[in-house]
Structures are given as structure tokens and as C-alpha cells.
Amino acid sequence: MFKNRLEYWVDPRTGKPRQLFNQLYRDYPDPWGCEKAKTILSKKIFLEMISEGARKKLAVLDLGCGEGGYTREIKKKLGKSANVTGLEISPLAVKRARQRYRDVNFRVGNLNHLNNRCLYDRIILSEVMWYLTRTIHSALQKIRRVLKAIVTGK
């Protein structure tokens, strides 16, 4: 275990990224505080916004879903007919998410694992944009390829 959580992301000696997400999940239960964050007003407002105008079965992708708590809240808000998928880089976090929330599809992966055959109505990047600052253009291009409204025009 490192001295603090920051050391899981950045080596303090070299300043280079580590991104040891799986180890972070092993060492800390709910390392991002997502279970507590579900009750924050901004998260509740976001749930209202994402469901606004949802009159049909929505396909939603939550990139960087962690242990799935907020992804599950999205599923609850959108209802049983919604197809909600959480994508997370840490296999341990995905394992925990699958154990806790069986009505949501969770997969191990990141932006590079997006499948062009799966199209989504909504794509959520809650708490992951800062990881993409160096590659934001290519990241948004990858997201664009799987966003239903852009691909199909609907």
C-alpha cells in the first residue's frame, strides 16, 4: 500500500502516471467514495437530466463506472427496459459491480475497447475526463463512433 491514494496514479519520484486502479480497489473499499456520492444533489440533478425526454428504451454507456453504484442508479432511474452498461478498467471493480448489481451489464475495458457494433443513446464520462486531457481529441472521436444519434442520424 502506498502512503496516499495519489501515489496509485503518479509515481512521486518520477512524476509519471502509474494508474494502478486494480491495486487501488484492492487496498481501499470504494476508493472514489461513489456510494456516498449517490446522495449528492448534483448527482440527483444529473439523473434527472439523463432521463429527460427518455420515452423509449435507452442504451447507456457509463465509462469509468468503478464499482457500479452510480451506474445502478442510472439503471433504476431509466427503468427495466433501459440497456445500461458500465465499462471499467479495473477487473476487481467490475467483479464487485457484477456481484452487487446483477441487472446491469459491466465489462472490463476502456475507450480503446469500444465496439462499433454497439451504439448508445447516452454516454457518461463522470469523473474520467481528467484522465483524457492529453488525448481528448482521439477520445471524443472514439466516443463519437458509438453514439447512436451521430452514426444513424436518429
Side-chain angles (χ1 to χ4, degrees):
M1 189 140 93
F2 295 109
K3 292 178 188 172
N4 60 56
R5 293 179 198 194
L6 180 61
E7 291 185 18
Y8 288 87
W9 298 293
V10 178
D11 184 326
R13 289 173 288 134
T14 65
K16 293 185 178 180
R18 285 184 172 152
Q19 298 185 357
L20 300 173
F21 296 107
N22 215 44
Q23 186 174 342
L24 177 68
Y25 279 101
R26 205 173 19 252
D27 293 345
Y28 291 95
D30 192 23
W32 311 106
C34 293
E35 285 303 311
K36 290 182 219 170
K38 290 190 296 189
T39 61
I40 294 173
L41 181 59
S42 62
K43 296 286 187 179
K44 291 179 178 182
I45 291 169
F46 180 74
L47 286 173
E48 292 300 320
M49 290 173 62
I50 195 169
S51 63
E52 189 173 322
R55 292 178 201 80
K56 59 177 180 152
K57 177 182 173 182
L58 286 180
V60 178
L61 176 65
D62 184 9
L63 286 168
C65 68
E67 294 178 335
Y70 197 59
T71 313
R72 174 63 174 100
E73 293 299 309
I74 293 165
K75 173 72 174 175
K76 281 180 12 184
K77 181 68 180 174
L78 295 176
K80 291 182 181 182
S81 66
N83 177 16
V84 178
T85 300
L87 188 65
E88 169 59 43
I89 199 167
S90 167
L92 181 57
V94 170
K95 179 182 176 186
R96 289 178 183 166
R98 287 175 177 159
Q99 290 170 343
R100 292 177 184 154
Y101 312 109
R102 299 189 185 278
D103 59 336
V104 180
N105 179 34
F106 293 100
R107 297 183 324 181
V108 176
N110 61 27
L111 275 173
N112 295 321
H113 298 100
L114 292 182
N115 182 338
N116 291 359
R117 290 172 287 160
C118 297
L119 298 179
Y120 300 95
D121 299 294
R122 310 257 198 291
I123 299 176
I124 300 161
L125 295 108
S126 177
E127 308 297 330
V128 298
M129 288 300 286
W130 62 288
Y131 287 108
L132 306 176
T133 55
R134 292 187 181 142
T135 60
I136 191 69
H137 182 71
S138 65
L140 292 175
Q141 291 292 16
K142 290 173 185 177
I143 291 167
R144 185 182 170 99
R145 286 195 325 254
V146 296
L147 198 54
K148 202 179 281 187
I150 293 172
V151 175
T152 65
K154 297 178 185 176

